[in-house]
Structures are given as structure tokens and as C-alpha cells.
Amino acid sequence: MTVVTVQTAARFEMIDITGRVAAVVRTGGIKQGFCTVFVPHTTAAVTINENADPDVPRDILAGLDRLVPLAGGYRHAEGNSAAHIKASLFGASQTVLVEDGALVLGTWQSLFLCEFDGPRTRKVLVKLTGA
Amino acid sequence: MTVVTVQTAARFEMIDITGRVAAVVRTGGIKQGFCTVFVPHTTAAVTINENADPDVPRDILAGLDRLVPLAGGYRHAEGNSAAHIKASLFGASQTVLVEDGALVLGTWQSLFLCEFDGPRTRKVLVKLTGA
Amino acid sequence: MTVVTVQTAARFEMIDITGRVAAVVRTGGIKQGFCTVFVPHTTAAVTINENADPDVPRDILAGLDRLVPLAGGYRHAEGNSAAHIKASLFGASQTVLVEDGALVLGTWQSLFLCEFDGPRTRKVLVKLTGA
């Protein structure tokens, strides 16, 4: 298991971590198998989406904020229930195939850490399985 | 594969199953690898979120109900289409890393069975991979 | 890794791929383990839900369209930001247990490729791990 540390800078943010995860795979010693990326947090998530146009992550964050507004009559005293809901909607992990020692991602796919309650220092756990 | 049976008590409910999944890992004979938790249902889900404050799962269930209301002009005759939609939004499974023979969860993370169309008797399948 | 090609026919569509994934498992040579199904696209997803009543996938697609409407004041010039948001809500992959050489799915569970920006030719990557 490799721990990747990410410093987020805004309340809502999608940070492309593809390069850092790919580096773990490159030095991980497996040729084929799986790479699982997991965030040990409850107000952040990992997702796969497009980063060629930075308007895509911007639209995703804005769309999620419309779906799950910050003020929603929540009971949780910390005031970040919207972030908890978003975390479960996107999910705590993604699993990507590994072939020929590299991540198998589509042309437009990037791996993102999604910050829903920043800025914070976040951890991303990366673990490989295979041979 | 271990089958964990959970009796739900309400239409919408998040039941913390971390202890029961951790017990499967403890006796599962692997030191490092992965634990996959899967629900074989289409109106329930598995998610990871906070349970330190019981208001968090309450806010999540209420937020989801606002997003996907029970009455939404659906066609499915059984009347539980909202539960089907929620099941796909949260997902049928979660994968958690195993290190030193134990689940690797963040300080605030719990594993929940999410009931969206209860009360019912639900099954949770737990399977380990690793060495 | 097996590549399954799917031709979609509509802008929004859920296509049952259970049979094609089960065929990969049947000839895959493992008795127990996991089957991961991954789409290398950012405007499509994989989900598990009911297909016994075709109104269920119809209600899911209509419900998602209400949640994330096509016109939402998005910035991404291609005009398919709603599809990108839906892709992250449902997720790029699903992992299913394999026991006795077969997928372990509940009575009502089917695997679907979800098209959110069709019609297009889509790929689904299927990979097994186990023994």
C-alpha cells in the first residue's frame, strides 16, 4: 500500500491524481492485475472523469452543488452534511485494470481526488494486486 | 465467501456493518489484500461514511429522499423505483484494503448497508482476496 | 482482459450485458474470485440493477435525467456535461464475486452498460482475478 498525500486548496475541488497513481503502478512490480485507489475520508471521494477540458470538473462540482446544496436543513452539527452525501454518491474508491505494467484508462479518463469539504490535507491509498 | 444476514427495520435505514465485516477479516486468514462487500439486491446498497454522529446517516438518508422522492411519476408497478435509483447512485459494493490482517478504514469511516425499501431481510456477501 | 463491444442506439440507454459478461467468466478458467467490469469512457457507466421489469431501467434513466438535466448552465463546450456528471454518479466499474465458475448475482440483479451520451460504440473491459 502506498500513501499519496494531497493538499486541497478550496471547499470544492477535483484534483487530477492520475500521474501520481501511474507512478505507483510503474514502480509496483506487477505486469497485470488491478490498482485500487481508496480515500480514508468521509467528505472526499475518488472518481474517474475527463480532464482534457477543465470545464468538465468545474461543471461536475457545480452540478453536484446544485444537487446537494450546502444548506439543506441538515441536523449534523458540523455543517458539512452535503459533503458526506456527495462522498457516498461518488464513492470512496475506484478500481482500474493494470495491463503491461500500466493503468488501463480510456483516452479521456483521469483519476480525481474529489474534495467536498476543503481545504484539507487528504490521503489517497493506492494498492496493487496481480503478478 | 461469507454471507452476513441483516434484518432491516424501516423503509430507509443505514445499518453499520463494520464490526461484522471486520470479524470476517479477522478470521479470514489473510494478512494483506482486499475485502469486497457486495449486496445481492437492487433496492439496497453498501456505502462508506461517518457514524460517529448518528445525524450523519440521518442527513444522508433525508438528503437522498429529497433528491429521489418516492413519488416521481414512475412507471414500475411495484412503486419502489426511487429505491432502485438510490441503489445505483450508491452502488452494490465497496472494496476496502486489508493490511496486517485488518480492514484499513479512516478514523471516521464505517461500512453501512443502506436499506432503501425496507423493512426486509438482506444479505451481505463478504469476500477476501490476498495472502 | 476481454473487450466487449456494445453499440448503443439512443442518447440515454441501459443495456443489459449480464449474458456477455457471464460468457467471459464461463470461459475464463477461474472457479472462484472476482470479475471486474470497467468502461473506458467518461459519459457512460456500469451499474447493477433490475431488468425483470423493463420499466425499472426506464425509471432510472428518467429519474437521472430529472436529477441532472441536459441544460444546466454548464460551461463545457461539448454540451454533454450532464452525461459526465451521471457517469461519476454511477461509476466506471462494478466488481462481482465469482463462485463455482459463475457470477454471483442476486435474483433481480443484472449488469448494465449505461449510455448517457449516445448513440455511440462503447467498449466494456472485463477482467477476472482468482484461481
Side-chain angles (χ1 to χ4, degrees), chain C residues 64-130:
Chain C
L64 262 187
D65 187 41
R66 269 195 301 271
L67 271 182
V68 188
L70 280 175
Y74 304 114
R75 298 159 64 146
H76 180 43
E78 270 190 88
N80 60 356
S81 285
H84 286 287
I85 297 170
K86 291 173 179 178
S88 277
L89 286 172
F90 272 26
S93 76
Q94 296 291 331
T95 294
V96 181
L97 278 57
V98 174
E99 298 278 340
D100 300 322
L103 290 170
V104 180
L105 287 169
T107 314
W108 305 104
Q109 285 184 317
S110 290
L111 271 161
F112 290 94
L113 168 72
C114 302
E115 172 65 82
F116 297 132
D117 192 38
R120 298 201 197 202
T121 305
R122 299 295 196 174
K123 283 186 207 163
V124 178
L125 314 182
V126 182
K127 184 161 179 165
L128 308 176
T129 181

Side-chain angles (χ1 to χ4, degrees), chain C residues 43-79:
Chain C
T43 54
V46 198
T47 199
I48 294 174
N49 220 300
E50 180 188 329
N51 200 22
D53 177 359
D55 278 341
V56 172
R58 267 196 287 258
D59 283 347
I60 292 173
L61 289 172
L64 262 187
D65 187 41
R66 269 195 301 271
L67 271 182
V68 188
L70 280 175
Y74 304 114
R75 298 159 64 146
H76 180 43
E78 270 190 88

